[in-house]
């Protein structure tokens, strides 16, 4: 799966790596600032 | 079938990483959020203490606003939390909350606080360390109230008798000023409630 996604990315290795890092960062920021704050109160951890 | 299994196996990696990230958020991310809120609340509370409206009716405190400052010497000199009015999820994100409708600091009845045990800066994480006779100091607008721990117990979440004006005696008219702190028990679980109760032993007028 990861190999398939890697091949679908545009450009050479450097550009692909940059795109991967950018997308990962965006996904992590969305999780940290949007998804997790919404989800946390619903987790019965106390 | 083999390809599907492989994709599922490969998806386990990001899912595991997301779960780890979520765990980190619960432990540290929520704490950072509460600490930011506490800075603002404690600053506002300091302003209220400095002004001469200390005799403003405590009932004027709105949900989510700071009601009093809580200190517990047994838990260290740096232990101080602004107590907010209300115990809903939004209020408890800011710090320990006061059950609306229960007694206010120093009043006869039961001054009931609830706080998180493991998340959102975990204000009540260590209240299980309190022993009989330990002091709980509540700085309210009008005075400083010192309570002494009298009882520590673990109850079921449905046992709401602990927040009665006279705990365990619903409807009885209170004659003494008590306080009750409740939090989840054990850590990382909401299966039970840890309850620490105290009785008012001292009231000191604040001057200046």
């Amino acid at each position: 799966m990861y190999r398939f996604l890697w091949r679908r990315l545009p450009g050479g290795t450097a550009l692909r790596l940059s795109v991967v890092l950018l997308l990962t960062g965006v996904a992590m920021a969305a999780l940290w600032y949007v998804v997790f704050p919404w989800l946390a109160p619903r987790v019965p951890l106390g | 079938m083999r390809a599907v299994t492989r994709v599922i196996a490969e998806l386990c990696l990001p899912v595991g990483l997301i779960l780890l990230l979520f765990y980190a958020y619960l432990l540290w991310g929520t704490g950072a959020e509460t600490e930011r809120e506490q800075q603002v609340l404690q600053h506002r509370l300091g302003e209220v203490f400095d002004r001469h409206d200390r005799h403003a009716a405590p009932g004027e405190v709105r949900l989510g606003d700071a009601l009093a400052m809580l200190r517990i010497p047994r838990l260290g000199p740096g232990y101080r939390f602004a107590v907010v009015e209300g115990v809903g999820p939004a209020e408890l994100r800011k710090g320990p909350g006061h059950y609306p409708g229960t007694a206010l600091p120093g009043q006869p009845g039961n001054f009931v606080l609830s706080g998180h045990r493991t998340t959102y800066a975990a204000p009540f994480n260590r209240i299980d360390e309190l022993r009989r006779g330990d002091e709980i100091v509540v700085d309210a607008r009008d005075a400083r109230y010192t309570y002494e721990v009298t009882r520590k117990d673990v109850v079921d979440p449905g046992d709401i008798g602990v927040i009665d004006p006279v705990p365990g005696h619903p409807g009885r008219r209170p004659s003494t000023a008590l306080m009750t702190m409740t939090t989840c028990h054990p850590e990382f679980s909401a299966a039970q409630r840890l309850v620490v109760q105290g009785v008012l032993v001292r009231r000191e007028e604040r001057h200046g």
Side-chain angles (χ1 to χ4, degrees), chain B residues 106 113 139 162:
Chain B
L113 304 180
D139 275 310
V162 295

Side-chain angles (χ1 to χ4, degrees), chain B residues 63 85-87 98-104 107-112 163-165:
Chain B
L63 280 179
E85 179 68 5
V87 292
H98 167 245
Y99 269 83
T102 66
L104 290 162
Q107 286 184 343
N110 198 0
F111 172 55
V112 184
I163 69 168
D164 287 337

Side-chain angles (χ1 to χ4, degrees), chain B residues 106-111 131-138 145-151 165 167 175-181 196-203:
Chain B
Q107 286 184 343
N110 198 0
F111 172 55
R131 302 173 199 161
R132 185 186 290 264
D134 281 348
E135 290 190 339
I136 302 166
V137 182
V138 179
Y145 298 96
T146 303
Y147 295 82
E148 267 186 17
V149 173
T150 54
R151 177 175 170 242
S175 58
T176 55
L178 307 173
M179 87 171 283
T180 298
M181 297 190 292
V196 174
Q197 287 179 327
V199 63
L200 182 68
V201 292
R202 198 160 53 249
R203 178 188 193 276

Side-chain angles (χ1 to χ4, degrees), chain A residues 1-3 27-29 31-33 35-46, chain B residues 7 10-11 13-14 18 21-22 25-26 29 93 116-120 184 188-190:
Chain A
M1 181 181 76
Y2 297 117
R3 190 179 296 172
M28 285 180 69
L31 288 169
W32 192 269
Y33 293 107
V35 179
F36 292 168
W38 173 82
L39 195 59
R42 292 161 175 79
V43 177
L45 268 187
Chain B
V7 168
E10 286 179 343
L11 279 174
L13 178 66
I18 289 170
L21 191 65
F22 185 48
Y25 175 81
L26 287 173
R93 290 167 88 119
H116 281 294
R117 184 91 189 267
T118 51
T119 55
Y120 297 101
C184 291
F188 302 101
S189 166

Side-chain angles (χ1 to χ4, degrees), chain B residues 2-83:
Chain B
R2 192 175 168 184
V4 172
T5 308
R6 185 172 173 172
V7 168
I8 291 172
E10 286 179 343
L11 279 174
C12 286
L13 178 66
V15 168
L17 289 174
I18 289 170
L19 287 176
L20 273 178
L21 191 65
F22 185 48
Y23 189 68
Y25 175 81
L26 287 173
L27 291 185
W28 298 294
T30 58
E33 183 183 336
T34 300
E35 280 161 19
R36 279 195 303 274
E37 294 280 2
Q38 279 288 314
Q39 278 185 357
V40 175
L41 290 167
Q42 292 186 17
H43 179 72
R44 281 188 197 152
L45 210 48
E47 287 178 346
V48 170
F49 288 167
D50 289 341
R51 283 202 307 260
H52 292 288
D53 61 352
R54 290 174 183 164
H55 300 290
E60 292 171 5
V61 178
R62 292 173 302 180
L63 280 179
D65 281 353
L67 173 75
M69 191 75 80
L70 176 70
R71 292 189 296 112
I72 304 179
R74 161 77 66 188
L75 302 183
Y79 183 97
R80 48 192 277 136
F81 279 94
V83 175

